[in-house]
Amino acid sequence: MSEAYIVDAVRTPVGRRNGSLAGVHSADLGAHVLSALMDRTGIDPAAVEDVVFGCLDQLGSQSGDIARTSWLAAGLPESVPGVTIDRQCGSSQQAVHFAAQATMSGLSGLVVAGGVQNMSQIPLTAAALVGPQFGMPDPYSGSRGWRKRYGDQTVSQFHAAELMARHWDLSREEMEEFALNSHQRAAHAVDSGWFEREIAPYVDGETALAVDEGPRRDTSLASMARLKTLDPAGRITAATASQISDGAAALLIASEQAVQDHGLIPRARIHRMTVLGDDPIMMLSAPIPATRKALEDAGLTEGDIDAVEINEAFASVVLAWQREIDIAPERVNPVGGAIALGHPLGATGARLMTTLLHHLERTGGRYGLQTMCEGGGQANVTILERL
């Protein structure tokens, strides 16, 4: 089987909720990274065989196959198709997996993978929120099979985050210390210029953004302690959850033959791809068994991994994962995570991979591992090998 290579990866800065990117149409956010990717690689856009994008809440500006719309909004060839997928928060990581599988199988040579989300315009779970007008209060009510298996248990990421905190006995204080560290690491990365190479600044008319808006330099444990918990009897607060954000990211995935045919210089090889399911009520725990499976299938140990990007949907997710996976904390989210940098749902998987690739290059690491929790109790894991 052929290899799948990452030729390049680029992202927008991540805009905070109602921030600099809030008024940008989702297709234009996607178009921005697609144009930047074509410019950076110098590839003939007509040679791209498909565009696979992740996006949640596909309605309004994100409806109508945003992958295809973004490509066309970028002024790129009409001959290139696009498809939009939804594996919840892992959507654009799964987009990379689908792109890699296409190139490894020999069916495609060049595929663009990425994702986009404008959460300022389309609120979190907006697709479910329109259900009541059609007599569907949520995605599960009315399903005999679901009720028979799971009853009327609460299905919510916020509830799941609390379940994780209780199951692994994570205190509010421990999670707040983790959140503070995320902001500090992200601010240090920004100040050190570590994100500059991976970011394509967004400049269009009055909109201009070159750096991530999320990191809070003035946050403190004292200010976090004053926040109310999301559940009156719980431990999770807004400070220990990912930020609502806007952004996009894209990668060019190439087969061995395409690398030769187009004279490309790949930056990394996709070493292993894994996806696994777990309890949909606990929901956020799947990265733990998925990471174990990915390492075993790849013939690697925890000690072989030089850097990890695990999405900080909530502090409890990462801390529980760290309790179970023996990788040094300094190697986990070394430049901060979604608590500080934000979580534009459909774009986050591609954003994490872009950041992971650049971090491995900057530090000289060989193997990087990316994973994230996903709705429905799922997790993707991708292991990269820097070339």
Side-chain angles (χ1 to χ4, degrees), residues 53-141:
F53 256 32
C55 186
L56 282 68
D57 296 311
Q58 296 174 29
L59 67 162
S61 61
Q62 293 172 172
S63 63
D65 189 359
I66 192 67
R68 171 71 169 165
T69 310
S70 295
W71 182 265
L72 297 176
L76 296 167
E78 293 180 340
S79 59
V80 178
V83 62
T84 306
I85 63 171
D86 177 358
R87 197 191 286 277
Q88 298 293 281
C89 295
S91 295
S92 57
Q93 186 174 359
Q94 183 61 55
V96 173
H97 284 202
F98 283 153
Q101 289 161 5
T103 60
M104 292 170 74
S105 70
L107 294 176
S108 299
L110 295 172
V111 182
V112 170
V116 62
Q117 200 86 30
N118 188 317
M119 299 178 72
S120 296
Q121 293 183 11
I122 309 295
L124 178 67
T125 69
L129 294 175
V130 301
Q133 65 182 292
F134 302 109
M136 302 172 187
D138 57 65
Y140 313 100
S141 297

Side-chain angles (χ1 to χ4, degrees), residues 157-172 174-176 178-179 235-237 239-242 282 284-285 287-288 310-324 339 373:
Q157 60 176 327
F158 305 105
H159 176 65
E162 291 286 0
L163 292 178
M164 295 277 287
R166 291 202 295 268
H167 184 82
W168 275 273
D169 193 23
L170 302 167
S171 68
R172 172 174 174 168
E174 185 178 1
M175 290 187 282
E176 289 173 346
F178 177 88
R235 310 176 190 185
I236 305 293
T237 70
T240 54
S242 57
M282 179 78 77
L284 312 178
S285 58
I288 295 169
I310 172 171
N311 191 39
E312 293 175 2
F314 298 89
S316 57
V317 174
V318 185
L319 289 171
W321 182 90
Q322 288 182 311
R323 291 271 182 95
E324 301 290 337
I339 288 174
C373 56

Side-chain angles (χ1 to χ4, degrees), residues 264-303:
L264 301 172
I265 301 175
R267 296 168 62 181
R269 178 175 73 93
I270 296 179
H271 185 71
R272 188 70 196 179
M273 298 174 288
T274 296
V275 62
L276 196 69
D278 202 8
D279 178 4
I281 306 302
M282 179 78 77
M283 192 185 297
L284 312 178
S285 58
I288 295 169
T291 296
R292 289 177 175 145
K293 177 174 172 53
L295 289 172
E296 180 180 356
D297 291 347
L300 298 173
T301 68
E302 290 140 318

Side-chain angles (χ1 to χ4, degrees), residues 147-282:
R147 187 172 183 84
K148 181 179 179 181
R149 187 165 188 180
Y150 298 107
D152 58 358
Q153 296 182 78
T154 300
V155 183
S156 159
Q157 60 176 327
F158 305 105
H159 176 65
E162 291 286 0
L163 292 178
M164 295 277 287
R166 291 202 295 268
H167 184 82
W168 275 273
D169 193 23
L170 302 167
S171 68
R172 172 174 174 168
E173 292 74 22
E174 185 178 1
M175 290 187 282
E176 289 173 346
E177 288 173 0
F178 177 88
L180 178 62
N181 187 49
S182 181
H183 284 285
Q184 292 173 338
R185 287 184 176 188
H188 178 69
V190 171
D191 293 343
S192 301
W194 290 348
F195 295 136
E196 290 179 2
R197 188 180 175 208
E198 67 191 65
I199 288 177
Y202 192 94
V203 181
D204 185 11
E206 297 181 357
T207 302
L209 184 63
V211 297
D212 299 306
E213 288 186 310
R216 298 190 178 104
R217 297 171 183 273
D218 59 349
T219 194
S220 66
L221 293 178
S223 63
M224 291 183 189
R226 290 194 289 270
L227 296 177
K228 292 183 178 180
T229 55
L230 302 180
D231 180 337
R235 310 176 190 185
I236 305 293
T237 70
T240 54
S242 57
Q243 295 187 47
I244 293 173
S245 310
D246 313 318
L251 301 89
L252 180 62
I253 310 299
S255 67
E256 287 183 277
Q257 189 62 51
V259 166
Q260 296 174 21
D261 291 346
H262 298 279
L264 301 172
I265 301 175
R267 296 168 62 181
R269 178 175 73 93
I270 296 179
H271 185 71
R272 188 70 196 179
M273 298 174 288
T274 296
V275 62
L276 196 69
D278 202 8
D279 178 4
I281 306 302
M282 179 78 77

Side-chain angles (χ1 to χ4, degrees), residues 290-368:
T291 296
R292 289 177 175 145
K293 177 174 172 53
L295 289 172
E296 180 180 356
D297 291 347
L300 298 173
T301 68
E302 290 140 318
D304 293 319
I305 303 301
D306 297 296
V308 173
E309 285 290 337
I310 172 171
N311 191 39
E312 293 175 2
F314 298 89
S316 57
V317 174
V318 185
L319 289 171
W321 182 90
Q322 288 182 311
R323 291 271 182 95
E324 301 290 337
I325 307 297
D326 187 22
I327 294 179
E330 61 270 17
R331 296 186 180 186
V332 179
N333 297 357
V335 294
I339 288 174
L341 293 167
H343 180 20
L345 304 173
T348 294
R351 199 285 294 172
L352 291 177
M353 198 165 297
T354 299
T355 298
L356 179 59
L357 171 64
H358 285 80
H359 178 78
L360 289 173
E361 291 179 333
R362 187 175 61 253
T363 61
R366 181 180 180 185
Y367 288 114

